[in-house]
């Protein structure tokens, strides 16, 4: 059931022995008509003047990609899992449209169908299925608030979720009386994708209504197998919700092929869009190949586009009965500049090639894991390494030589601070429950992105090795 982009993903590979490298429609011009530009048109104009890249086979290619960004050269920024950095041309677009809007005092009451069309192309879905939200948390909240839940229904989730998902689940618990059940996540390199599916399968009961899981989990960078879990949900008639904060801009997934009902992601992390932007996918038609189940009841609770006469029934076939994303996107006056920035950054990613980006970032994280295993041993890794279905570009591991330090939050925080102060490298801490351990484990998390190269991975590994030696 996997679609071509998921299946044809080449094995990304960087190795010590050498680099084997891989590596709009409609209109949002409601206000902008007066200044003669739509967000997608603004983005296209920016693209026309952007820095040309050499051919991807050129050794200078990834250097040129790095130069698309303004990132401070004195710092090696490897915390993209928290926030990305927009390319220059996106900043120019946002700035220019902000100014045009200010000059013309232009309003933005729109469903931004042109921006959604650009995003839909990049994310492998239809424009009526993708909304530009405020961020992942906003998307998760809108999903959970829009579901028809009732007392006694169970939400099946994990013990490694982010507050962006945990908060709306807790609100649903208190509002509707639903029960939250959590699968305990194994960590490290010992699992295969099927193991996670089995854990969920065993936890499903006759009351389970929704499955909510992060892919990847932000704590250990475990890419829970979305298609397999979506199939499990389908087989049990469950609604599937993915906290995919890290998916846009990192993974080249065709969202429709994932087979899930909902996915909330960030457009400002790996996708490097303007701050305060996200991607909200809502399945809006029945595609028997990927998900033959009826569309779940769903209410776009934040909308100024909800029709007075109510909404028609959701589609039971291949054609949408109405544009769900338009209802979710229409929320009063918005920002033409920010929306133009989102369209622009999607075009930058499409120009480079989302498969190429995915291969590059996974190749770097694979190389990082290889070097970590060489120095610290495979037991230090909290991220999977060997099952390609579980990997992503987030790498979590325990950096200290003394195993007892895995419980030492203060020392781990000091490690991250010293790595920044003494080596100019920015990463973050990560803590999480581990099966069989009374106390949470304390790890560090490294993000490898398209503005990094093999040398950056070697630099951070050397720095972390020296620093962990210094800190005893
Ligand atoms: C898995 C996960 N979900 C949700 C969030 C919240 O993201 P946002 O700031 O886009 O709401 C994060 C942030 O790091 C995350 O890692």
């Amino acid at each position: 059931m996997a679609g071509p982009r998921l299946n044809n993903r080449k094995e990304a590979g960087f190795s010590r022995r050498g680099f084997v490298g891989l590596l709009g429609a409609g209109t949002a011009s409601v206000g902008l008509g007066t200044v003669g530009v739509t967000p997608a048109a603004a983005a296209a104009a920016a693209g026309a003047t952007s820095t040309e890249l050499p051919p991807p086979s050129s050794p200078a290619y990834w250097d040129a990609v790095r130069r698309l960004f303004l990132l401070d050269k004195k710092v090696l920024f490897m915390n993209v899992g928290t926030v990305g950095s927009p390319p220059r041309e996106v900043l120019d677009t946002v700035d220019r449209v902000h100014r045009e809007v200010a000059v013309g005092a232009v309003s933005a009451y729109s469903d931004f169908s042109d921006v959604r069309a650009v995003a839909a192309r990049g994310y492998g879905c239809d424009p009526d299925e993708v909304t530009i939200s405020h961020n992942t948390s906003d998307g998760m909240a809108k999903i959970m608030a829009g579901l028809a839940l009732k007392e006694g229904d169970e939400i099946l989730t994990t013990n490694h979720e982010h507050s962006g998902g945990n908060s709306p689940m807790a609100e649903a618990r208190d509002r509707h009386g639903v029960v939250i059940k959590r699968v305990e996540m194994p960590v490290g390199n010992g699992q295969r994708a099927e193991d996670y599916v089995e854990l969920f399968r065993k936890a499903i009961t006759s009351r389970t209504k929704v499955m909510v899981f992060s892919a990847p989990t932000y704590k250990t960078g475990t890419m829970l197998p979305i298609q397999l879990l979506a199939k499990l949900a389908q087989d049990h008639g469950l609604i599937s919700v993915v906290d995919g904060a890290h998916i846009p801009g990192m993974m080249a997934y065709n969202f429709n092929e994932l087979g899930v009902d909902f996915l909330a992601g960030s457009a400002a992390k790996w996708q490097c869009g303007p701050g305060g932007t996200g991607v909200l996918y809502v399945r809006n038609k029945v595609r028997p190949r990927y998900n033959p189940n009826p569309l779940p009841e769903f209410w776009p609770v934040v909308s100024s586009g909800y029709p007075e006469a109510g909404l028609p029934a959701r589609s039971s076939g291949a054609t949408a009965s109405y544009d769900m994303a338009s209802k979710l996107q229409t929320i009063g006056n918005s920002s033409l500049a920010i929306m133009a920035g989102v369209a622009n950054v999607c075009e930058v990613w499409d120009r480079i090639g989302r498969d190429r980006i995915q291969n590059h970032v996974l190749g770097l994280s694979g190389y990082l894991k290889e070097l970590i295993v060489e120095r610290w041993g495979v037991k230090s890794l909290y991220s999977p390494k060997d099952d390609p279905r579980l990997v992503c570009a987030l790498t979590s591991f325990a950096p200290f030589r003394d195993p007892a330090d895995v419980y030492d939050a203060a020392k781990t925080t000091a490690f991250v601070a010293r790595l920044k102060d003494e080596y100019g490298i920015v990463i973050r801490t990560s803590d999480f429950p581990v099966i069989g351990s009374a106390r949470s484990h304390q790890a560090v998390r490294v993000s490898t992105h398209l503005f990094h190269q093999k040398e950056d991975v070697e630099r951070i590994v050397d720095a972390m090795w020296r620093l962990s030696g210094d800190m005893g």
Side-chain angles (χ1 to χ4, degrees):
M1 73 182 253
R5 275 233 267 197
L6 288 160
N7 270 345
N8 293 347
R9 196 171 85 203
K10 282 191 221 98
E11 233 5 82
F14 296 82
S15 83
R16 217 180 217 331
R17 293 155 292 284
F19 175 42
V20 286
L22 306 160
L23 283 316
T27 175
S29 57
V30 176
L32 272 181
T34 57
V35 291
V37 63
T38 66
T49 58
S50 72
T51 318
E52 287 296 316
L53 292 171
S57 56
S58 158
Y61 183 77
W62 290 104
D63 264 339
V65 169
R66 188 173 45 77
R67 283 197 301 275
L68 297 178
F69 296 86
L70 285 174
L71 282 157
D72 184 352
K73 289 193 188 58
K74 294 190 291 301
V75 174
L76 176 54
F77 179 75
M78 303 190 92
N79 188 19
V80 186
T82 297
V83 72
S85 170
R88 286 167 208 281
E89 71 174 72
V90 172
L91 296 169
D92 290 346
T93 296
V94 172
D95 186 50
R96 194 183 66 252
V97 178
H98 261 319
R99 286 168 189 281
E100 288 170 355
V101 164
V103 169
V106 187
S107 68
Y109 290 95
S110 172
D111 72 353
F112 293 99
S113 58
D114 64 340
V115 177
R116 290 188 287 116
V118 175
R121 266 201 310 275
Y123 299 126
C125 60
D126 293 342
D128 58 291
E129 295 172 305
V130 67
T131 304
I132 307 307
S133 61
H134 191 56
N135 52 34
T136 318
S137 309
D138 178 47
M140 290 299 289
K142 283 174 175 154
I143 295 166
M144 294 310 302
L147 295 178
L149 298 171
K150 59 179 192 326
E151 191 173 352
D153 287 345
E154 288 175 6
I155 299 176
L156 182 57
T157 185
T158 84
N159 66 338
H160 282 185
E161 296 308 307
H162 190 276
S163 54
N166 280 330
S167 295
M169 282 192 271
E171 192 175 323
R173 177 199 62 209
D174 297 346
R175 176 179 170 196
H176 303 295
V178 304
V179 177
I180 301 170
K181 292 202 160 176
R182 296 189 189 268
V183 172
E184 292 187 6
M185 288 287 98
V187 298
N189 188 41
Q191 286 67 237
R192 291 181 54 73
E194 289 77 12
D195 299 335
Y196 290 98
V197 180
E198 202 42 38
L199 288 170
F200 275 88
R201 185 194 310 282
K202 284 198 300 225
I204 292 172
T205 73
S206 58
R207 315 208 64 158
T208 310
K209 178 100 189 245
V210 192
M211 263 169 56
V212 179
F213 59 92
S214 292
T217 65
Y218 78 110
K219 293 180 178 295
T220 65
T222 302
M223 179 58 80
L224 289 180
I226 302 178
Q227 286 182 312
L228 296 179
L229 290 170
K231 177 75 170 59
L232 179 71
Q234 290 167 26
D235 290 347
H236 289 80
L238 309 180
I239 299 164
S240 49
V241 178
V242 178
D243 176 341
H246 304 272
I247 287 176
M250 179 208 276
M251 306 303 284
Y253 292 161
N254 285 319
F255 289 1
N256 283 337
E257 297 177 5
L258 296 173
V260 298
D261 293 305
F262 301 93
L263 186 151
S266 169
K269 296 181 187 288
W270 302 81
Q271 184 58 79
C272 293
T277 58
V279 177
L280 171 56
Y281 168 80
V282 178
R283 181 170 74 103
N284 201 35
K285 53 206 73 162
V286 177
R287 296 178 180 85
R289 180 157 174 220
Y290 303 120
N291 188 344
N293 288 9
L295 299 177
E297 183 176 339
F298 182 67
W299 299 89
V301 290
V302 183
S303 180
S304 54
Y306 190 84
E308 198 49 45
L311 290 170
R314 299 201 74 189
S315 170
S316 58
T319 308
S321 56
Y322 61 95
D323 185 338
M324 174 59 85
S326 168
K327 306 297 171 225
L328 286 159
Q329 193 72 71
T330 306
I331 50 169
N333 193 30
S334 189
S335 169
L336 292 162
I338 296 299
M339 293 301 278
V342 171
N344 194 169
V345 85
C346 284
E347 287 172 351
V348 174
W349 254 239
D350 293 344
R351 224 183 292 146
I352 297 171
R354 289 179 184 269
D355 285 320
R356 180 171 292 116
I357 293 169
Q358 176 180 306
N359 285 334
H360 183 79
V361 304
L362 295 190
L364 290 174
S365 66
Y367 184 47
L368 173 60
K369 289 172 191 174
E370 188 187 318
L371 297 189
I372 288 172
V373 169
E374 270 182 28
R375 304 263 180 115
W376 285 268
V378 74
K379 286 213 175 96
S380 71
L381 265 185
Y382 291 104
S383 309
K385 179 173 81 68
D386 293 333
D387 185 338
R389 297 167 298 176
L390 298 178
V391 301
C392 78
L394 288 169
T395 301
S396 292
F397 84 109
F400 296 116
R401 319 280 173 94
D402 180 351
D405 286 342
V406 83
Y407 305 111
D408 195 334
K411 189 166 176 177
T412 312
T413 302
F415 181 89
V416 168
R418 284 186 61 179
L419 196 67
K420 180 170 182 219
D421 294 344
E422 296 169 29
Y423 295 88
I425 303 175
V426 175
I427 60 172
R428 64 158 281 178
T429 56
S430 173
D431 66 291
F432 39 84
V434 171
I435 296 168
S437 169
R439 283 181 287 164
S440 284
H441 283 209
Q442 310 291 328
V444 296
R445 191 188 77 184
V446 182
S447 304
T448 44
H449 206 16
L450 80 172
F451 34 69
H452 299 129
Q453 298 190 50
K454 189 182 173 230
E455 296 68 34
D456 299 318
V457 171
E458 288 162 358
R459 177 176 155 198
I460 189 176
V461 168
D462 284 343
M464 292 193 299
W465 182 248
R466 277 211 300 280
L467 183 56
S468 67
D470 274 3
M471 291 179 76

